[in-house]
């Protein structure tokens, strides 16, 4: 132990040769051209030696709650559970609000209200953080806000033209664009198993929507264009968020606050210029409790869900986040049939089985070594052991 009256940090690379002992292997290792930080705590304590600039693992927090006490798998499961719960509620409320007669043309106004709530929530959450510094440049936020507006605004507007399950299914097709974006934007490389998993999940959900179109066609070309543009923006934003948040070590709160507050300005200006702001305000004034009440519930569930999604993106990557949200969409469709009566066909079943195959492949790809070990231990080893015993019995006879 070392006693010292002051805390100091010494850079070994800048120390002169006279301060080190040439024959001391400890000093030789410390001063071999690498920057080393030595922290001497005040009082009887210890010396902490580590290479300068070595990053410690980022603490995972969701809405100020730390998940560091959980193992890595536990943190992932908590994030997945949060995404499922809050976004399932989000989907239910969204479909419910568009069931109000006459509300379908006002998807952009609903998005404006959501962005206003998100901005307020983000500003409130930021007050509880010690570090309120904005880390990401405002120029970057202008781009992120544009993608966020395109994703949510176009998606909400599409609900006014398409059947809700059809809209959800279209958005599930972003798995492939996300992988392409990962290669183009971040230089990632995905294996054949990941590609096959994405194809299975995507085509399974596409066939799911074809069944929906067959039993209750509510197709509109305008809605298809809107949801297709939202799909492209949604595919790009995951990779851009991951790259930006990791590059600047930005918190979820900061990204949500600035992305949605800038996006709010974009939508407000757009509605003012197009002259489409007053009509939805008059309409909602007729049903204030229903429209703004559901909009508030939509915003709360969406805000908490966004924080879980951003945590997944930042801590586990864009592809796992998209895989989780895609599976959540499948459950959303099932619940949509339960709570909002719709026709049923067996094509839904085999389409869901194809999606399940994609989920299994994706899970195997991310845990290949562990799953191979489990298969070897609990499947192959007992199988070959039984075969060996059967051969011995046959030879004996």
């Amino acid at each position: 132990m070392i006693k010292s009256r002051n805390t100091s940090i010494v850079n070994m690379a800048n120390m002169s040769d006279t301060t080190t002992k040439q024959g001391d292997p400890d000093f030789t290792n410390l001063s071999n051209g690498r920057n080393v930080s030595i922290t001497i705590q005040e009082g009887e304590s210890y010396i902490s030696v580590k290479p300068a600039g070595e990053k410690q693992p980022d603490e995972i927090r969701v809405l100020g709650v730390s998940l560091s006490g959980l193992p890595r798998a536990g943190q992932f499961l908590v994030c997945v559970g949060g995404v499922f719960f809050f976004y399932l509620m989000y989907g239910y409320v969204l479909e419910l609000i568009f069931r109000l007669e006459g509300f379908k043309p006002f998807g952009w106004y609903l998005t404006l209200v959501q962005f206003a709530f998100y901005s307020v929530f983000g500003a409130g959450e930021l007050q509880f953080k010690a570090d309120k510094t904005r880390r990401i440049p405002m120029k970057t936020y202008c781009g992120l806000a544009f993608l966020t507006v395109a994703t949510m605004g176009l998606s909400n507007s599409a609900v006014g033209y398409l059947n809700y399950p059809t809209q959800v299914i279209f958005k599930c097709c972003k798995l492939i664009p996300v992988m392409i974006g990962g290669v183009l934007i971040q230089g990632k490389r995905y294996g054949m198993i990941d590609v096959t998993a994405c194809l299975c999940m995507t085509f399974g959900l596409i066939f799911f929507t074809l069944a929906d179109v067959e039993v209750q066609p509510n197709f509109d070309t305008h809605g298809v264009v809107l949801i297709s543009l939202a799909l492209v923006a949604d595919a790009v934003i995951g990779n851009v968020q991951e790259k930006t948040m990791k590059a600047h070590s930005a918190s979820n709160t900061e990204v949500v606050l600035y992305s949605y507050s800038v996006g709010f300005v974009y939508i407000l200006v757009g509605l003012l210029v197009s002259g489409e702001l007053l009509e939805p305000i008059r309409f909602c004034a007729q049903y204030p409790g229903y429209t703004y009440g559901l909009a508030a519930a939509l915003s709360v569930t969406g805000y908490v869900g966004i924080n879980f999604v951003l945590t997944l993106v930042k801590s586990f990557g864009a592809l796992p986040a998209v895989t989780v949200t895609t599976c959540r969409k499948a459950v959303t469709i099932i619940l949509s049939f339960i709570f909002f009566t719709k026709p049923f066909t067996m094509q839904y079943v085999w389409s869901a089985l194809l999606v399940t195959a994609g989920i299994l492949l994706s899970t195997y790809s991310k845990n290949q070594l562990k799953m191979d070990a489990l298969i070897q231990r609990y499947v192959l080893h007992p199988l070959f052991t039984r075969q060996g015993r059967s051969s011995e019995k046959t030879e004996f006879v």
Side-chain angles (χ1 to χ4, degrees):
M1 309 298 285
I2 293 181
K3 293 183 178 181
S4 174
R5 299 185 61 175
N6 298 311
T7 299
S8 61
I9 298 178
V10 183
N11 191 327
M12 292 299 300
N14 295 332
M15 293 177 64
S16 63
D17 294 338
T18 57
T19 60
T20 61
K21 299 179 182 179
Q22 294 182 356
D24 193 333
D26 293 333
F27 278 94
T28 301
N29 291 333
L30 290 175
S31 59
N32 59 358
R34 298 178 62 190
N35 292 331
V36 178
S37 298
I38 300 181
T39 304
I40 305 177
Q41 299 285 353
E42 184 165 354
E44 287 195 14
S45 188
Y46 58 88
I47 295 181
S48 173
V49 181
K50 64 178 181 180
E54 180 179 300
K55 292 184 179 180
Q56 299 298 318
D58 292 335
E59 183 180 18
I60 298 180
R61 286 181 173 271
V62 181
L63 295 174
V65 179
S66 176
L67 303 181
S68 300
L70 297 174
R72 185 72 170 170
Q75 294 171 350
F76 181 76
L77 290 176
V78 168
C79 291
V80 170
V83 170
F84 266 78
F85 176 79
F86 288 102
Y87 269 113
L88 288 177
M89 293 295 297
Y90 180 92
Y92 174 80
V93 174
L94 181 61
E95 186 168 5
L96 185 63
I97 195 172
F98 273 97
R99 291 254 167 171
L100 177 63
E101 186 68 29
F103 188 82
K104 287 187 176 182
F106 305 136
W108 278 108
Y109 182 72
L110 175 63
T111 309
L112 178 72
V113 175
Q114 283 183 268
F115 274 52
F117 274 111
Y118 291 164
S119 301
V120 172
F121 295 156
E125 186 181 353
L126 190 64
Q127 300 308 310
F128 294 95
K129 289 185 174 294
D131 185 8
K132 298 180 177 62
T133 306
R134 176 171 54 82
R135 299 179 182 274
I136 299 177
M138 187 57 69
K139 181 179 179 181
T140 304
Y141 275 125
C142 290
L144 278 175
F146 177 80
L147 291 172
T148 306
V149 167
T151 299
M152 289 187 62
L154 294 171
S155 179
N156 285 347
S157 298
V159 179
Y161 299 93
L162 297 174
N163 196 24
Y164 182 69
T166 305
Q167 182 255 21
V168 174
I169 289 295
F170 260 85
K171 293 195 69 175
C172 290
C173 297
K174 70 179 179 180
L175 281 170
I176 291 178
V178 162
M179 293 183 67
I180 295 174
V183 173
L184 297 179
I185 297 175
Q186 301 193 68
K188 287 187 174 182
R189 292 294 180 267
Y190 299 105
M192 184 57 65
I193 297 177
D194 284 325
V195 174
T196 305
C198 288
L199 288 174
C200 286
M201 296 174 68
T202 300
F203 282 109
L205 292 172
I206 288 175
F207 291 134
F208 199 99
T209 196
L210 290 177
D212 188 58
V213 172
E214 180 182 348
V215 295
Q216 52 170 14
N218 188 22
F219 234 64
D220 188 293
T221 305
H222 189 56
V224 173
V225 173
L226 289 174
I227 197 62
S228 298
L229 293 175
L231 174 65
V232 174
D234 207 4
V236 173
I237 194 170
N239 289 286
V240 174
Q241 281 178 341
E242 179 183 4
K243 186 176 183 179
T244 303
M245 292 176 73
K246 288 184 176 180
H248 299 278
S249 299
S251 65
N252 294 351
T253 306
E254 178 191 330
V255 174
V256 169
L257 172 61
Y258 287 98
S259 295
Y260 286 92
S261 57
V262 174
F264 174 83
V265 176
Y266 285 169
I267 300 173
L268 181 61
V269 171
L271 291 176
L272 286 172
V273 172
S274 63
E276 297 179 358
L277 181 62
L278 294 180
E279 185 179 356
I281 291 178
R282 295 192 190 100
F283 178 86
C284 293
Q286 300 175 28
Y287 315 95
Y290 188 90
T291 54
Y292 290 112
L294 288 179
L298 191 70
S299 301
V300 170
T301 54
Y303 181 79
V304 179
I306 285 170
N307 275 272
F308 278 108
V309 170
L310 287 176
T311 301
L312 274 176
V313 170
K314 183 178 181 181
S315 303
F316 301 97
L319 185 60
V322 170
T323 303
V324 170
T325 54
T326 300
C327 296
R328 188 272 307 169
K329 289 182 178 70
V331 178
T332 297
I333 293 170
I334 295 173
L335 294 181
S336 178
F337 280 95
I338 294 174
F339 292 108
F340 303 96
T341 305
K342 296 176 178 67
F344 181 80
T345 174
M346 284 301 297
Q347 187 172 334
Y348 291 134
V349 177
W350 65 262
S351 299
L353 291 176
L354 187 58
V355 173
T356 303
I359 295 172
L360 292 175
L361 283 173
S362 179
T363 304
Y364 174 76
S365 174
K366 293 172 180 58
N367 303 276
Q368 191 167 354
L369 293 177
K370 292 181 179 180
M371 293 187 70
D372 283 344
L374 291 174
I375 293 173
Q376 178 70 27
R377 180 176 181 180
Y378 294 106
V379 178
L380 297 181
H381 181 70
L383 180 62
F384 286 119
T385 301
R386 293 193 192 98
Q387 288 181 349
R389 290 174 181 173
S390 299
S391 299
E392 290 177 1
K393 289 180 181 179
T394 303
E395 291 177 1
F396 177 77
V397 173

